[in-house]
Amino acid sequence: MHETEGLEQRQSSLAMNSGEFRLLGHQMVDRVADFLDSLPGRRVTPGESPQQIREALDAGRTLPKEGSDPAKLIDHAADLLFDHSLFNGHPRFWGYITSSAAPIGALAELLAAAVNPNVGAWPLSPMASEIEAQTIRWVAELLNYSTDCGGLFVSGGNVANIVCFLAARQAKAGWDVRQKGVSHGGLRAYCSQETHTWVQKAADISGLGTAAIRWVPTDDEQRISLPALREQIAIDIESGDKPFVVVGTAGSVSTGAIDPLPEMAAICREFDLWFHVDGAYGGFAAMLPDVPAALAGLGEAHSIAVDPHKWLYAPLEAGCALVRNPERLREAFAYHPPYYHFGVEAINYFDFGPQNSVAFEPSRSGWRCNRSAGKVT
């Protein structure tokens, strides 16, 4: 018996002529515009339980045998989202650090989906790749970081930090970690007790294990203790371990504390360690005219992670990893089988990170910055 025998065929056309697309597009934009106008008068959240949300969705339905009418489907999806969501764009939303998305970002998402370029390789996305590269240079410029750096957009702060962590591991291990793994053991990472939990994920994913993390005590202002950091590094070296990265936090989750980045950079130079800064929460404060003195060391970092979907009002997902030397990203991620030989005369983003297929997100550049006024608009 053939394995598909007895199964009902499900068919639904994805085709849509330009007239139908134009009509549905106008209707959707009108609905979104009305939603944005109505947002201040709505509740921040419906406060519904998971069971209530599932009932509204009719989540127990089986897979439909036929496709839905596109107009009805779009309307229904809009009703569900507008009536049963928590709105981080609401003027009374103070719950998390995710920002509201700027309307230009929503339009940019539509534009990107229409062309659907794969930014993994330059020949597959020539203009999108160059827009991406330009935007990364602008992010670096905002942070007073080297605009010759390497970088890429990822899903958020966790992945941006992990990308930088993996680059640090390859650069500072002292052997080819990608080929030989971490069986040599002894690699050690240093961060304050206030560092975001991404560092645990990075140690886990990279094969080091969370025991490789040295959680350094903090001072009275919740910043990393420099004497304790120096002491722990010295102890590990004496024990035969291999320190390789120090993580500074530019805006901690709990209190917004900023580690003494210039002094941390100096310690990293002294011990020849990779200096990484997690700026997902507060890194973009470096662009302000009255930038905190502690952020002055941001430009000395080997790598930085920031989140445009926080301070810059880009729609999710928009994290950004910056690495001062672009070759460190290639060394950490690039492989060149026969079907990957696209050349290096332009940036192929599959060489810079863990993804092969990479979405183009023009909404990440759907903002502009007035640096003299210290405003993001």
Side-chain angles (χ1 to χ4, degrees):
M1 181 176 181
H2 194 275
E3 62 180 5
T4 60
E5 191 173 325
L7 295 179
E8 294 188 60
Q9 294 292 317
R10 290 178 167 87
Q11 295 183 349
S12 180
S13 174
L14 293 177
M16 185 180 295
N17 63 46
S18 61
E20 185 179 11
F21 180 83
R22 186 173 286 109
L23 177 63
L24 293 177
H26 284 305
Q27 290 174 353
M28 177 182 283
V29 169
D30 285 342
R31 287 217 61 182
V32 171
D34 290 342
F35 161 71
L36 294 175
D37 284 343
S38 71
L39 193 53
R42 292 174 177 262
R43 293 177 296 175
V44 177
T45 174
E48 296 168 310
S49 68
Q51 182 59 35
Q52 289 173 307
I53 294 292
R54 291 167 190 148
E55 288 175 359
L57 177 60
D58 192 12
R61 290 174 302 160
T62 58
L63 180 67
K65 293 183 176 62
E66 296 181 359
S68 300
D69 173 77
K72 292 179 180 178
L73 182 62
I74 289 171
D75 255 353
H76 182 51
D79 288 339
L80 290 173
L81 286 169
F82 294 163
D83 295 339
H84 302 280
S85 292
L86 179 148
F87 302 122
N88 54 25
H90 197 286
R92 293 194 301 276
F93 174 77
W94 299 96
Y96 297 92
I97 211 137
T98 28
S99 64
S100 57
I104 186 66
L107 296 175
E109 292 284 324
L110 173 61
L111 180 61
V115 180
N116 197 32
N118 180 355
V119 191
W122 193 93
L124 304 179
S125 53
M127 181 51 71
S129 293
E130 292 302 323
I131 291 173
E132 197 103 336
Q134 182 186 60
T135 306
I136 288 166
R137 289 193 298 271
W138 286 350
V139 169
E141 186 178 351
L142 283 175
L143 300 171
N144 295 309
Y145 197 59
S146 171
T147 55
D148 293 330
C149 68
L152 74 162
F153 285 110
V154 292
S155 59
N158 271 24
V159 177
N161 280 299
I162 290 170
V163 164
C164 296
F165 191 93
L166 292 171
R169 185 192 64 162
Q170 177 66 16
K172 293 297 184 179
W175 67 89
D176 189 348
V177 175
R178 300 179 72 195
Q179 182 180 21
K180 299 180 180 179
V182 292
S183 57
H184 289 65
L187 289 175
R188 298 291 177 254
Y190 303 81
C191 61
S192 88
Q193 294 172 341
E194 293 295 304
T195 303
H196 190 279
T197 192
W198 70 261
V199 74
Q200 292 163 302
K201 294 182 181 180
D204 183 0
I205 290 170
S206 65
L208 273 63
T210 55
I213 303 170
R214 297 298 192 239
W215 298 95
V216 181
T218 55
D219 61 19
D220 292 341
E221 297 182 21
Q222 304 301 307
R223 305 173 303 175
I224 195 169
S225 167
L226 295 173
L229 172 62
R230 180 183 294 277
E231 180 183 7
Q232 185 63 63
I233 293 172
I235 289 172
D236 288 338
I237 292 174
E238 182 67 23
S239 299
D241 290 332
K242 175 69 175 176
F244 78 101
V245 65
V246 174
V247 176
T249 297
S252 64
V253 179
S254 300
T255 65
I258 300 172
D259 283 332
L261 304 183
E263 293 84 355
M264 295 177 75
I267 291 175
C268 288
R269 286 193 297 271
E270 178 183 344
F271 289 99
D272 191 26
L273 305 179
W274 184 285
F275 181 38
H276 171 66
V277 176
D278 174 7
Y281 274 64
F284 279 115
M287 69 183 175
L288 300 174
D290 53 347
V291 55
L295 281 178
L298 205 63
E300 301 182 60
H302 291 89
S303 58
I304 304 172
V306 288
D307 263 1
H309 64 216
K310 292 187 175 74
W311 282 50
L312 301 184
Y313 298 92
L316 293 165
E317 302 170 337
C320 184
L322 302 176
V323 175
R324 186 192 302 163
N325 183 347
E327 290 306 310
R328 295 293 182 246
L329 285 170
R330 287 194 178 93
E331 291 166 4
F333 294 103
Y335 288 105
H336 284 161
Y339 46 86
Y340 268 17
H341 282 291
F342 290 104
V344 293
E345 71 281 356
I347 295 174
N348 299 304
Y349 282 103
F350 63 69
D351 280 341
F352 275 29
Q355 291 178 256
N356 180 30
S357 299
V358 182
F360 173 53
E361 300 286 353
S363 59
R364 293 160 175 164
S365 57
W367 43 267
R368 56 191 173 86
C369 179
N370 183 337
R371 294 184 64 183
S372 61
K375 297 178 180 178
V376 176
T377 57

